[in-house]
Amino acid sequence: MEEQARTNTISLSEKAYQTIRALILGNEFRAGEQILEKVLVERLSISRTPIREACIQLQKEGLIEIRPRRGIYIKPISAADMNEIYDIMSALEAQAAKVLANKISQKKITNKELEKLETPTVNMEKALETKNLKAWAEADEEFHLALLELCGNKRLKEAVLKYWGQVHRVRYFTLELRGQPSDSTDDHRALLDAIRSGNPRKAADIHEHHRQKAKQNLLDIIEKFERITVASPFC
Amino acid sequence: MEEQARTNTISLSEKAYQTIRALILGNEFRAGEQILEKVLVERLSISRTPIREACIQLQKEGLIEIRPRRGIYIKPISAADMNEIYDIMSALEAQAAKVLANKISQKKITNKELEKLETPTVNMEKALETKNLKAWAEADEEFHLALLELCGNKRLKEAVLKYWGQVHRVRYFTLELRGQPSDSTDDHRALLDAIRSGNPRKAADIHEHHRQKAKQNLLDIIEKFERITVASPFC
DNA sequence: ATTTATCTTAATGTATACACTATTGTGACA
DNA sequence: TGTCACAATAGTGTATACATTAAGATAAAT
């Protein structure tokens, strides 16, 4: 078992990256807001170098934009951006479902591993009954993450998580506004069944439709939002 | 028409990024090779700061790996990596084909724009007759790039290009070894027809199969290669 | 009062000095 | 001769000084 030599001292660049990323995902900054390096330097009490290195990473992840000589800006997410991102996630997660269903039919997945999908599905169904929206959202996230893990494609997982991060803000602000997630919960159950029965095509189709519905749902909300307020919180 | 204020002075970080990227894609370094910052500093005649900033970007693109306190390493591509990358490209490009076919049926694409697909298809067919492998590969690349452009999803395009960069080295070394591209050329023609007739499902299926075949072709070559030589040039 | 030119300021971009640590080499001891 | 401890070295990580430039302020001219 290969164990990589890990330094127990985490670099300041890495620490800065994680901290700033958490600040952005935690909606500590407004969409479009400019962030001065100085502010981050003072907030994290480290020098500019690791701050800058962290920001370059965050730019590559699409969370911020660095305009040359102008500074760092929190990237807003428009409806058009949402459309792009959900189409990508649709395709990638459907691919993950397909790969996983194939693994099932080739007996490359144990029952214990499938529980990582079963458990959050059950939790979603429970949360739906008790109308616990937050618990539902967490189980939903857990399900999709487990699917990405189980498919085994690390790059695919990283890619989806990158886009997930980009829409995190929108999902955060729209959680209460989204419709009752009963449909969505049924989708998960159906997807799990398709995967279990080793049907790649069906699994992919279900996931694809699942995400396309979610996309339309969010786009509708954004549209409504933009009609009642000039400056929506996410774009 | 919004024109972004562009400084005609390109930053050294950006210059370093482009230069080092070109060096990697041009196979100036071996897979797995360690590159000292010092070497890049001397080669580009700039200080360490922009070099480091460029390398962070290249790491995010998957072209190099920065091991803490150990240095910069050119990322090798294994068969497993190829498998991951081609599955992702399959899914994303199939999505692009789907979106484009939908645009056709909604009359959102002009004939002039479709020529960006027609021209490289014709060029592939010509190159196939004259057995000009290099011209064929260029037309192939042009076709896939045009598809990404026309689908209109910039993030999708950027994502595919990122993975394209990761497999660039392998494709470079295997161009001669890959089989006759007549099958592949037929795929392009069929894909173009499906897009023209506004059939998203068919277009996506064709592209999906197209990439899956390409994947298997490359994996077979890599396997053969690894049997005759311990150190293949790409992994 | 408005516009334009110039100057000032403050922020980012780059170079470099310093800090820290992984690696390598040397020598003592078994 | 082989192994371990320790020191020397070289390379990466971080802080900071300096360079450059965009944005804002001030003042002059119309």
Side-chain angles (χ1 to χ4, degrees):
Chain A
M1 188 79 63
E2 198 179 68
E3 186 73 23
Q4 56 183 351
R6 83 173 55 159
T7 45
N8 39 5
T9 55
I10 192 172
S11 77
L12 291 183
S13 286
E14 180 63 19
K15 185 192 157 198
Y17 165 73
Q18 289 171 1
T19 307
I20 299 171
R21 187 170 189 277
L23 287 175
I24 296 172
L25 293 189
N27 286 296
E28 294 264 341
F29 304 113
R30 290 200 170 195
E33 182 179 353
Q34 182 184 26
I35 313 290
L36 297 183
E37 287 180 358
K38 198 179 168 186
V39 171
L40 296 172
V41 162
E42 285 167 4
R43 187 141 183 181
L44 305 196
S45 303
I46 56 180
S47 77
R48 287 177 62 208
T49 306
I51 296 286
R52 286 179 62 89
E53 294 190 346
C55 287
I56 289 168
Q57 290 187 269
L58 293 166
Q59 178 175 44
K60 279 277 176 184
E61 282 180 35
L63 291 178
I64 65 175
E65 182 186 350
I66 303 175
R67 292 198 239 169
R69 287 257 171 228
R70 297 295 222 55
I72 302 155
Y73 294 82
I74 302 297
K75 260 207 160 180
I77 297 292
S78 69
D81 293 322
M82 287 288 307
N83 200 27
E84 284 199 9
I85 293 168
Y86 264 76
D87 274 2
I88 292 175
M89 296 211 301
S90 269
L92 291 180
E93 293 189 287
Q95 175 70 26
K98 191 186 291 180
V99 169
L100 186 53
N102 268 324
K103 279 192 174 181
I104 295 280
S105 51
Q106 291 163 27
K107 311 265 185 199
K108 285 181 180 172
I109 293 285
T110 66
N111 273 336
K112 196 188 170 192
E113 285 177 309
L114 268 186
E115 275 179 29
K116 290 176 184 167
L117 289 176
E118 178 66 35
T119 304
T121 305
V122 171
N123 287 340
M124 286 171 82
E125 289 161 346
K126 281 182 192 166
L128 189 62
E129 282 176 29
T130 59
K131 302 196 174 180
N132 186 340
L133 208 56
K134 191 153 176 282
W136 183 88
E138 280 169 10
D140 176 56
E141 201 154 328
E142 193 186 336
F143 180 95
H144 287 284
L145 194 60
L147 178 66
L148 294 170
E149 289 279 359
L150 290 175
C151 88
N153 188 329
K154 282 187 184 174
R155 281 178 176 82
L156 195 156
K157 178 186 151 199
E158 289 308 313
V160 172
L161 289 183
K162 166 180 159 175
Y163 295 109
W164 193 269
Q166 289 183 25
V167 292
H168 190 274
R169 197 181 322 128
V170 181
R171 292 181 58 82
Y172 178 88
F173 283 114
T174 57
L175 177 57
E176 306 288 338
L177 302 170
R178 284 182 258 156
Q180 279 308 310
S182 59
D183 255 31
S184 183
T185 307
D186 292 344
D187 285 348
H188 284 79
R189 174 56 68 190
L191 172 57
L192 184 47
D193 288 345
I195 290 173
R196 269 230 176 78
S197 60
N199 191 336
R201 185 83 196 211
K202 193 175 177 189
D205 279 351
I206 291 173
H207 204 308
E208 168 101 31
H209 283 124
H210 177 63
R211 279 289 183 225
Q212 289 295 327
K213 275 191 288 181
K215 176 178 93 172
Q216 202 50 55
N217 190 4
L218 273 182
L219 288 182
D220 289 345
I221 291 171
I222 291 179
E223 201 198 341
K224 277 183 202 163
F225 224 96
E226 282 173 343
R227 223 181 294 151
I228 55 171
T229 168
V230 177
S232 85
F234 34 85
C235 55
Chain B
M1 187 91 52
E2 198 179 69
E3 186 72 24
Q4 58 183 348
R6 81 173 57 157
T7 44
N8 39 7
T9 56
I10 191 174
S11 77
L12 292 183
S13 285
E14 180 62 20
K15 186 190 155 198
Y17 164 73
Q18 289 172 2
T19 307
I20 298 171
R21 187 170 189 278
L23 288 173
I24 295 172
L25 293 188
N27 286 295
E28 293 264 341
F29 304 113
R30 290 197 170 196
E33 181 179 353
Q34 183 186 25
I35 312 291
L36 296 182
E37 286 180 359
K38 200 179 166 185
V39 172
L40 296 173
V41 162
E42 285 167 4
R43 187 141 181 181
L44 305 197
S45 304
I46 56 178
S47 78
R48 285 178 63 209
T49 306
I51 295 287
R52 285 180 62 88
E53 294 190 345
C55 287
I56 289 167
Q57 291 188 269
L58 293 166
Q59 177 175 45
K60 279 278 177 183
E61 281 180 36
L63 292 178
I64 66 175
E65 182 186 349
I66 302 175
R67 292 197 237 169
R69 289 255 171 230
R70 296 295 222 54
I72 301 155
Y73 294 83
I74 302 297
K75 259 209 160 177
I77 297 291
S78 69
D81 292 323
M82 286 289 306
N83 199 29
E84 285 198 6
I85 293 167
Y86 264 76
D87 274 2
I88 293 175
M89 295 210 301
S90 269
L92 291 181
E93 293 188 288
Q95 175 70 26
K98 190 186 293 182
V99 169
L100 186 53
N102 267 324
K103 280 192 175 184
I104 295 280
S105 52
Q106 290 163 28
K107 311 267 185 195
K108 286 182 181 173
I109 293 286
T110 66
N111 273 336
K112 197 187 168 192
E113 287 177 309
L114 267 186
E115 274 179 28
K116 289 176 183 168
L117 289 175
E118 178 66 35
T119 305
T121 305
V122 171
N123 286 341
M124 288 174 81
E125 289 160 346
K126 281 183 189 165
L128 190 62
E129 282 176 27
T130 59
K131 302 195 174 178
N132 186 339
L133 207 56
K134 192 154 174 281
W136 183 87
E138 280 169 9
D140 176 56
E141 202 155 327
E142 193 186 335
F143 181 95
H144 286 285
L145 194 60
L147 178 65
L148 293 170
E149 289 280 359
L150 290 175
C151 87
N153 189 329
K154 282 187 182 174
R155 282 178 175 82
L156 194 155
K157 178 186 152 199
E158 288 309 312
V160 173
L161 289 182
K162 165 180 160 175
Y163 296 110
W164 193 270
Q166 289 183 25
V167 293
H168 189 274
R169 197 182 319 128
V170 181
R171 291 181 59 83
Y172 178 87
F173 283 115
T174 56
L175 177 58
E176 307 287 337
L177 302 170
R178 285 182 258 155
Q180 279 308 310
S182 59
D183 255 30
S184 184
T185 307
D186 292 344
D187 284 349
H188 284 79
R189 174 56 69 188
L191 172 56
L192 184 47
D193 288 345
I195 289 173
R196 269 230 176 76
S197 60
N199 191 335
R201 185 82 197 211
K202 194 174 178 189
D205 278 352
I206 292 172
H207 204 307
E208 168 103 30
H209 284 124
H210 176 62
R211 279 289 182 225
Q212 289 295 325
K213 276 191 288 182
K215 175 176 95 172
Q216 202 50 55
N217 189 4
L218 273 181
L219 287 181
D220 290 345
I221 291 171
I222 291 178
E223 201 199 340
K224 278 183 199 163
F225 224 96
E226 281 173 344
R227 225 182 292 151
I228 56 172
T229 167
V230 177
S232 82
F234 34 84
C235 56

